[in-house]
Amino acid sequence: MIETSLHKRRGLNIAILAGLSFVFLHEVPVAQGVWPMPQKISQSSQRFPLSPEEFAFQYAKDSAAQPGCSVLDAAFKRYFTLIFPGYSAPSTSTFRVDPFTLVVKVQAGGCEEYPDADSVESYSLGVSGGQGVLTAETVWGALRGLESFSQLVYQDEYDAYYVNKTEIVDFPRFLFRGILLDTSRHFLPVEVILKSLDAMAYSKFNVFHWHIVDDPSFPYQSLSFPDLSEKGAFHAATHVYTQADVQRVISHARMWGIRVLPEFDTPGHTQSWGKGQPDLLTPCYKGAVPSGTFGPVNPTLNSTYQFITRLFKEINAVFPDSYIHLGGDEVSFFCWKSNPQVQAFMAKMGFGSDYTKLESFYMENIMNITAALNKTSVVWQDVFDYHERIPRDTVLHVWKGTTAQYRQELSRMTEAGYRVLLATPWYLNHISYGQDWKDAYTVEPLNFTGTEEQKKLVIGGEVCMWGEYVDATNLTPRLWPRASAAAERLWSDEEQTSSVSEAYPRLAEFRCRLLRRGIQAEPLYVGYCKHELKAL
Amino acid sequence: MDALLKFAALLFLVTACQGRHESLYSTPNLIDSAYGSLWPLPQKVQTSPAVFSLSGASFQIVHSSESSAGPNCHLLQNAFRRYFEYMFGFMKKQGRYKSALASEVSELQVWITSTDSECDDYPTVSSDESYELSVDQPIAVLKAAKVWGALRGLETFSQLVYEDAYGAKSINKTEIADFPRFAHRGILLDSSRHFLPVKVILANLEAMAMNKYNVFHWHIVDDHSFPYQSPTFPDLSQKGAYHPYTHIYTPTDVKMVIEFARMRGIRVVSEFDTPGHTLSWGKGQMGLLTPCYSGDTPTGTFGPVNPILNSTYEFMTQFFKEVSSVFPDAYVHLGGDEVDFTCWKSNPDIQKFMSQQGFGQDYSKLESYYIQKILDIVAATNKGYMVWQEVFDNGVKLRPDTVVEVWMGYNVEEELQNVTAAGYTTILSAPWYLDYISYGQDWQKYYKVEPLSFKGTEEQKKKVVGGEACLWGEYVDATNLTPRLWPRASAVAERLWSDKDVTNIDDAYSRLTQHRCRMVQRGIPAEPLFVGHCDHEYKGL
């Protein structure tokens, strides 16, 4: 805070340096390259002019995907606008530019499927005079390659488009690169979610972790239990996601190669569930009488498991992804302890006074229900921390602790043979003054004690944007471009992307590109973009 | 409201959620405030349980027949329309219908009592913003000496209107007598570190009026860019702006901002900060900045304005003459902060000048020398001036009507004591640097500041005429400025407007939660204070 008081405009020298690099960026018309950094990229200074009138996408003759491939047909349409952001109508200029064709070849089909846990996203891209060749095993890889290609195209000071001779061979370092949005603490209108999905694709994120319900509200409109949102949403008509909304999100995400991983967190974080589902939550007692308040889901009743079975059956049908997030975090035992029926159940089961056993009992039942639906469970780390018997294929989600603590947790979990996801260093709802994107950037997800085999069990990471202080008014600038820093950590080679100062100008340019695409991404530092945000 | 209350109990249960840990600030209770959604809280409010209805089809805001202002007062005509839109604009206009309810407020009469309404003037630091509002049926009366008070009263009236459970517009019988605690209630925006498009500035002037702010401190140029297009010295923006066409404020833009602000009772105080913070000036004005030296040779870099050349003062005379005619406000902010002496020290000509003047090695004397000349130049244009505190701290001779802005975060009380003891008018901004962000409800920190807690006589305290919330531009541009500023700046607004004893955090939280939803409904993307919802969520994207 003392530093605070010393400089009104803090760090003038740095300011000048950063300012200069900005100026540099925009006066020398060369693309700073692709964000996140491809695994292998070589570029020459030889550049080719591009013209929107003389540009075409084309399926290769031997491509498994051909016209009619919904994912790629839609992608071509989108990327045409992203590649030529200033384009509105055919120009009357007589200035001739050679035609350019981007030929796309997909080895396997799968145009109508959903991306999933094992989807292959690798691709290779070669750009030379008059032609680019994009080759990918799957349509998902082709999408990543199209994004990279769009970022190779830049405009000179006369707004003419160019692309340099380039060779890229690329694949993600981690299979799971997610963003968590929380639609319970504040309701996020569907348009906000769709826009976030667009921005995710620009940074090659591939999982939207939808923390859809929680204590404060239950906006998911359930077919089987309409009362859940009818009574548990902030407003039953204006603050809910209808089935049509959910379908819109899922299909929009699919078009970008993004999975939608729903989270229905139990047995804690369920206050809003209780409003529309009487007897689901544990009544808390004060002495011998109910206090009128409720705790976690009541794990002692058969009706609870019948309810969850039906609800999860519905969720299984609504959300196509093979994963489901079961939550399981931060269960307070306070209310369970106060309740005589729960006490009696504890005695009957021989749990003594160890309430983690009761929690364990509940989670096991829930995981069995999801296993019966052929879904892979994801749970927050608490479930591993307190319980022994977890199905082998469960994915554990690390969210707590200091750097030392989460590294230790990663060691323990992978040693026990579980697949893990890392979120702790990427809680971007936490904000601080200055360039905190650097903290997100310099994370080393595999820097923990363990064998090569153990490291392979880290399937990825996730940026979490919890909703206490975030809604439609501020979500987008708070998330971007800070999440993009994490995106590069999760996609790119760590050694090639270890320097914050090399990342800065690239990320600054990428942020301007996001603005140009209508994403309200906040500035990294002093400077400007050639095309500032148009909307307010 | 009701929904919010039910939700309050729940909020408590969930505060200790996953990873949403460790915020420095506690979560206040949502209560049913006796003052509804009023923000900032008026000095005297008497509400009665009697409820009247208002109909968008028949309600009118009119000039009272006794008012000294009439339909040719554009400022009020414009305000009537604006507030009608705020109150009824979200409803479909229906045909005129007879209300079934006997008690209806059908008219708000605005009565300017002084013979000079000041309708066509610019607001000043001594403008009378007081007003009295009496809401009864069938007519509500808003009395104010000047249009400035009427503007504040219209805002208050619009805040009294609420929707009942059936969505019908309602208002309680109310008596309000109101006036600001401090005369200078400002927001600083920095359009140099990042360019702020005019529409962003206008949107924030709208939000300022909703919070009864009355000064826009426009930190228009600085080291990084010079977006102000000067007719006298067009090269300043031609070469010093980020871009000479897309990242500048033309004279028309500046006029538009000033008039838009005037219509809302907001002064525009421009800041042209010298001799430091001027790197961008040097690009379009050769010879203005001090060349820095390494040994005997110029390094090619530049420092603060060169204070030893006559040409500097000739330039400044012409420049400030222009500024004084472009900006109608009686004050110009001259900056004067954070002057780095390194470059001056390196320059042989300056060294020579120092010894000629007998300044020895004391470069603050050179700074004083410069500032005094600038003050004289500006005084000659018949403008008053504001300066950052260093100018006072360094012992520069100031005119008695100088306004000193206290911004440094340490020894704030001591500084206030000293500046006021020396008899200078003072503005406080140190506790309200809103560009500094942290996790959680930091509005409480800004709210809890008591500007007059320093030791001093009554006379000294009167010298503190107000405060400013500053949003410096390092990390802020059009993408995130508005949600970062609001409703955090609203907390400062209440501290500067309302009575000293208005300090109840639960009451403030409850009113502010609704006030922020109202701003959202009016199109201002004000960020949330905490978990919850607004009936009308932000629609823009």
Side-chain angles (χ1 to χ4, degrees):
Chain A
M1 270 332 204
I2 287 167
E3 192 188 291
T4 297
S5 49
L6 285 176
H7 297 283
K8 178 135 71 339
R9 332 289 157 71
R10 294 146 312 255
L12 186 56
N13 295 329
I14 304 163
I16 294 160
L17 282 175
L20 283 176
S21 63
F22 252 95
V23 170
F24 176 79
L25 279 184
H26 292 278
E27 285 178 356
V28 182
V30 163
Q32 293 287 321
V34 180
W35 189 282
M37 172 92 84
Q39 300 286 343
K40 280 183 203 151
I41 177 167
S42 62
Q43 284 193 284
S44 90
S45 57
Q46 191 187 356
R47 67 179 193 179
F48 313 108
L50 294 182
S51 153
E53 279 101 36
E54 299 291 345
F55 179 88
F57 293 104
Q58 199 180 78
Y59 291 95
K61 286 212 172 63
D62 54 349
S63 169
Q66 290 295 333
C69 172
S70 62
V71 169
L72 289 183
D73 282 353
F76 293 164
K77 190 176 167 189
R78 282 196 312 269
Y79 275 106
F80 183 84
T81 315
L82 295 173
I83 292 166
F84 302 108
Y87 183 73
S88 52
S91 81
T92 52
S93 136
T94 52
F95 179 67
R96 290 282 304 162
V97 160
D98 290 338
F100 187 99
T101 307
L102 183 61
V103 180
V104 179
K105 180 184 169 180
V106 173
Q107 277 141 4
C111 289
E112 308 310 317
E113 292 164 16
Y114 289 93
D116 213 331
D118 53 1
S119 291
V120 177
E121 296 172 281
S122 60
Y123 68 93
S124 65
L125 175 65
V127 175
S128 53
Q131 178 168 286
V133 178
L134 170 59
T135 310
E137 195 173 315
T138 68
V139 290
W140 317 120
L143 288 176
R144 305 296 168 243
L146 285 169
E147 178 57 41
S148 295
F149 179 80
S150 76
Q151 295 186 23
L152 291 174
V153 178
Y154 59 93
Q155 288 173 278
D156 70 3
E157 64 259 58
Y158 305 104
D159 281 349
Y161 298 99
Y162 289 94
V163 64
N164 285 46
K165 189 169 163 57
T166 306
E167 292 291 334
I168 291 178
V169 176
D170 202 10
F171 52 89
R173 181 181 179 202
F174 293 105
L175 283 177
F176 187 113
R177 304 176 308 282
I179 293 217
L180 176 149
L181 297 182
D182 168 2
T183 55
S184 173
R185 289 180 177 77
H186 284 100
F187 179 77
L188 298 175
V190 171
E191 289 71 22
V192 174
I193 295 176
L194 299 184
K195 194 120 195 180
S196 302
L197 289 168
D198 295 355
M200 283 173 65
Y202 302 154
S203 289
K204 295 192 171 75
F205 278 103
N206 67 350
V207 181
F208 167 37
H209 175 172
W210 195 349
H211 189 83
I212 192 166
V213 298
D214 202 302
D215 283 322
S217 76
F218 197 105
Y220 172 76
Q221 202 173 60
S222 161
L223 292 164
S224 329
F225 301 98
D227 273 358
L228 288 170
S229 64
E230 188 69 31
K231 297 185 176 159
F234 284 135
H235 188 285
T238 59
H239 288 62
V240 293
Y241 301 106
T242 64
Q243 287 296 322
D245 290 337
V246 173
Q247 286 316 312
R248 226 176 128 200
V249 168
I250 293 170
S251 75
H252 191 95
R254 182 181 89 88
M255 286 298 184
W256 285 114
I258 296 171
R259 301 161 56 193
V260 178
L261 167 61
E263 176 178 355
F264 286 83
D265 190 354
T266 65
H269 290 285
T270 47
Q271 290 289 308
S272 68
W273 302 47
K275 296 187 182 169
Q277 187 65 17
D279 302 331
L280 178 65
L281 303 187
T282 311
C284 312
Y285 277 67
K286 205 169 181 176
V289 285
S291 67
T293 63
F294 295 88
V297 166
N298 192 334
T300 68
L301 303 177
N302 279 338
S303 59
T304 291
Y305 301 103
Q306 285 159 5
F307 164 78
I308 298 276
T309 304
R310 270 187 75 192
L311 180 67
F312 279 19
K313 210 169 154 187
E314 171 184 325
I315 291 163
N316 183 45
V318 170
F319 293 92
D321 202 79
S322 65
Y323 284 16
I324 179 171
H325 204 303
L326 302 177
D329 58 311
E330 296 183 313
V331 181
S332 161
F333 298 146
F334 176 78
C335 188
W336 280 350
K337 282 180 187 168
S338 78
N339 181 301
Q341 283 86 41
V342 174
Q343 290 162 10
F345 186 80
M346 291 283 289
K348 191 179 110 192
M349 300 296 289
F351 291 163
S353 57
D354 184 355
Y355 282 82
T356 64
K357 289 202 170 124
L358 181 59
E359 187 184 351
S360 206
F361 169 82
Y362 173 83
M363 288 308 294
E364 269 174 48
N365 276 316
I366 298 299
M367 285 189 274
N368 287 339
I369 290 170
T370 45
L373 295 165
N374 280 322
K375 291 264 185 186
T376 301
S377 303
V378 186
V379 293
W380 295 108
Q381 71 177 84
D382 313 42
V383 179
F384 171 79
D385 292 346
Y386 304 123
H387 320 296
E388 293 111 43
R389 284 183 297 170
I390 299 178
R392 275 287 134 198
D393 70 335
T394 306
V395 176
L396 306 175
H397 204 157
V398 176
W399 66 274
K400 281 198 274 197
T402 61
T403 306
Q405 284 166 332
Y406 77 66
R407 283 179 180 165
Q408 206 176 13
E409 183 82 357
L410 290 170
S411 287
R412 288 178 49 224
M413 288 172 165
T414 53
E415 196 176 2
Y418 290 103
R419 289 176 296 168
V420 293
L421 280 172
L422 179 62
T424 310
W426 292 306
Y427 263 43
L428 295 192
N429 53 309
H430 291 154
I431 53 169
S432 58
Y433 183 72
Q435 299 200 36
D436 61 358
W437 68 272
K438 293 175 184 173
D439 302 332
Y441 194 73
T442 50
V443 172
E444 299 168 310
L446 299 186
N447 191 358
F448 63 88
T449 313
T451 62
E452 277 311 299
E453 284 310 301
Q454 276 177 264
K455 311 249 160 145
K456 280 186 191 147
L457 290 171
V458 178
I459 59 170
E462 193 170 85
V463 166
C464 295
M465 183 54 69
W466 294 103
E468 278 82 353
Y469 303 104
V470 179
D471 71 2
T473 62
N474 60 352
L475 172 84
T476 306
R478 190 157 293 188
L479 192 53
W480 309 102
R482 294 161 77 227
S484 304
E488 180 148 296
R489 184 56 51 238
L490 292 170
W491 178 281
S492 307
D493 179 70
E494 196 167 290
E495 276 179 33
Q496 291 178 59
T497 54
S498 57
S499 160
V500 163
S501 59
E502 281 170 30
Y504 178 83
R506 293 174 49 240
L507 187 55
E509 180 176 292
F510 179 68
R511 178 255 165 179
C512 287
R513 195 181 286 277
L514 290 178
L515 280 195
R516 191 85 205 271
R517 294 179 174 188
I519 303 297
Q520 204 182 328
E522 67 178 21
L524 293 177
Y525 194 57
V526 173
Y528 76 108
C529 295
K530 189 173 169 189
H531 301 275
E532 301 283 3
L533 188 75
K534 286 281 187 298
L536 188 58
Chain B
M1 185 64 220
D2 219 51
L4 284 173
L5 284 178
K6 274 185 218 144
F7 190 57
L10 216 149
L11 283 182
F12 260 134
L13 292 170
V14 301
T15 43
C17 284
Q18 173 173 46
R20 325 179 231 294
H21 27 232
E22 328 101 23
S23 163
L24 289 166
Y25 315 97
S26 59
T27 304
N29 295 306
L30 278 175
I31 59 168
D32 191 1
S33 171
Y35 303 112
S37 65
L38 287 172
W39 193 278
L41 192 65
Q43 300 284 344
K44 279 177 208 156
V45 186
Q46 265 191 325
T47 9
S48 115
V51 181
F52 311 130
S53 65
L54 296 95
S55 152
S58 57
F59 183 80
Q60 286 187 308
I61 309 177
V62 299
H63 297 279
S64 152
S65 57
E66 290 135 300
S67 179
S68 62
N72 57 3
C73 176
H74 301 313
L75 183 146
L76 285 183
Q77 294 296 99
N78 212 287
F80 291 176
R81 183 182 61 193
R82 188 164 69 246
Y83 282 101
F84 187 89
E85 283 286 328
Y86 285 161
M87 289 184 281
F88 302 104
F90 310 98
M91 300 177 6
K92 272 246 157 63
K93 303 274 186 311
Q94 297 141 348
R96 210 183 166 95
Y97 66 94
K98 278 263 191 284
S99 168
L101 294 162
S103 47
E104 176 175 330
V105 179
S106 59
E107 201 169 279
L108 172 63
Q109 292 187 354
V110 179
W111 178 5
I112 307 299
T113 57
S114 145
T115 48
D116 179 8
S117 69
E118 296 184 4
C119 184
D120 298 317
D121 296 354
Y122 289 97
T124 71
V125 70
S126 51
S127 290
D128 184 351
E129 295 175 286
S130 64
Y131 67 92
E132 284 172 22
L133 180 61
S134 171
V135 179
D136 208 335
Q137 58 94 10
I139 286 166
V141 179
L142 169 60
K143 265 167 75 172
K146 310 287 183 186
V147 290
W148 318 118
L151 289 173
R152 305 298 167 241
L154 282 166
E155 175 60 39
T156 302
F157 182 83
S158 76
Q159 295 188 2
L160 289 171
V161 177
Y162 61 93
E163 281 180 22
D164 71 9
Y166 300 97
K169 300 285 175 177
S170 312
I171 191 165
N172 285 58
K173 185 171 155 63
T174 307
E175 297 289 330
I176 286 177
D178 201 12
F179 54 87
R181 182 181 175 202
F182 292 104
H184 183 117
R185 304 178 308 280
I187 296 265
L188 177 149
L189 298 183
D190 168 0
S191 57
S192 173
R193 287 178 177 77
H194 285 100
F195 179 76
L196 301 175
V198 170
K199 61 184 173 184
V200 172
I201 294 177
L202 301 186
N204 281 281
L205 288 167
E206 292 272 26
M208 284 171 68
M210 294 170 199
N211 290 274
K212 298 191 169 71
Y213 272 103
N214 67 353
V215 180
F216 168 36
H217 176 166
W218 195 350
H219 188 85
I220 190 165
V221 300
D222 203 302
D223 282 321
H224 309 86
S225 76
F226 197 104
Y228 171 77
Q229 193 179 47
S230 159
T232 322
F233 300 100
D235 273 358
L236 287 171
S237 64
Q238 188 68 27
K239 296 183 177 161
Y242 282 133
H243 187 282
Y245 301 109
T246 59
H247 288 63
I248 60 164
Y249 302 105
T250 65
T252 314
D253 291 336
V254 173
K255 271 206 188 87
M256 194 198 298
V257 168
I258 292 169
E259 181 59 9
F260 195 90
R262 188 187 81 82
M263 296 291 256
R264 285 154 185 79
I266 298 170
R267 300 162 53 201
V268 178
V269 175
S270 58
E271 177 177 353
F272 289 90
D273 191 354
T274 66
H277 290 286
T278 48
L279 284 178
S280 70
W281 301 49
K283 296 188 182 166
Q285 187 64 21
M286 293 304 140
L288 180 67
L289 302 186
T290 309
C292 312
Y293 278 70
S294 176
D296 295 336
T297 47
T299 60
T301 63
F302 295 89
V305 167
N306 192 332
I308 68 169
L309 302 178
N310 282 337
S311 58
T312 291
Y313 301 103
E314 283 158 16
F315 165 79
M316 290 295 176
T317 304
Q318 276 199 67
F319 183 73
F320 277 107
K321 202 172 153 195
E322 173 189 313
V323 166
S324 74
S325 71
V326 168
F327 293 92
D329 199 79
Y331 287 86
V332 179
H333 203 302
L334 300 177
D337 58 310
E338 298 182 315
V339 183
D340 181 1
F341 297 146
T342 325
C343 185
W344 279 352
K345 283 180 187 168
S346 77
N347 182 301
D349 298 324
I350 296 219
Q351 291 161 11
K352 206 188 297 168
F353 185 81
M354 288 286 287
S355 59
Q356 274 168 15
Q357 296 285 324
F359 291 164
Q361 288 304 302
D362 187 354
Y363 282 83
S364 71
K365 286 196 173 137
L366 182 60
E367 184 186 353
S368 289
Y369 171 87
Y370 169 82
I371 297 269
Q372 263 162 16
K373 285 192 162 252
I374 293 295
L375 297 186
D376 290 343
I377 287 169
V378 173
T381 66
N382 282 321
K383 291 279 184 188
Y385 40 77
M386 293 176 62
V387 291
W388 296 108
Q389 70 178 79
E390 289 100 312
V391 178
F392 168 82
D393 296 345
N394 291 346
V396 176
K397 199 178 84 196
L398 298 167
R399 267 197 342 202
D401 64 342
T402 304
V403 178
V404 177
E405 183 158 8
V406 174
W407 67 270
M408 289 181 161
Y410 57 92
N411 297 338
V412 178
E413 300 209 341
E414 200 183 315
E415 183 76 8
L416 288 171
Q417 241 172 292
N418 294 340
V419 177
T420 55
Y424 294 110
T425 303
T426 310
I427 306 276
L428 178 65
S429 59
W432 294 312
Y433 266 42
L434 301 194
D435 49 327
Y436 288 114
I437 53 170
S438 57
Y439 187 65
Q441 298 201 34
D442 60 356
W443 68 274
Q444 296 174 40
K445 179 172 72 180
Y446 308 124
Y447 191 74
K448 285 174 182 164
V449 172
E450 171 42 53
L452 302 186
S453 63
F454 65 94
K455 286 201 191 91
T457 63
E458 277 310 299
E459 281 311 300
Q460 276 178 272
K461 309 239 162 155
K462 279 186 194 146
K463 288 289 175 189
V464 180
V465 297
E468 283 185 355
C470 298
L471 195 66
W472 295 102
E474 279 84 351
Y475 301 104
V476 178
D477 71 3
T479 61
N480 59 353
L481 181 139
T482 309
R484 188 157 293 185
L485 190 54
W486 310 102
R488 293 161 77 228
S490 304
V492 183
E494 178 149 298
R495 184 56 51 237
L496 292 172
W497 178 281
S498 306
D499 189 81
K500 181 176 186 294
D501 295 329
V502 178
T503 54
N504 182 316
I505 286 282
D506 287 345
D507 190 73
Y509 179 59
S510 312
R511 286 182 293 114
L512 188 53
T513 298
Q514 298 180 65
H515 179 56
R516 108 86 190 173
C517 284
R518 176 167 49 227
M519 286 194 276
V520 168
Q521 188 174 11
R522 291 177 181 184
I524 305 294
E527 67 179 21
L529 295 173
F530 193 56
V531 175
H533 80 291
C534 297
D535 289 340
H536 305 271
E537 300 286 2
Y538 186 61
K539 285 289 186 300
L541 193 59

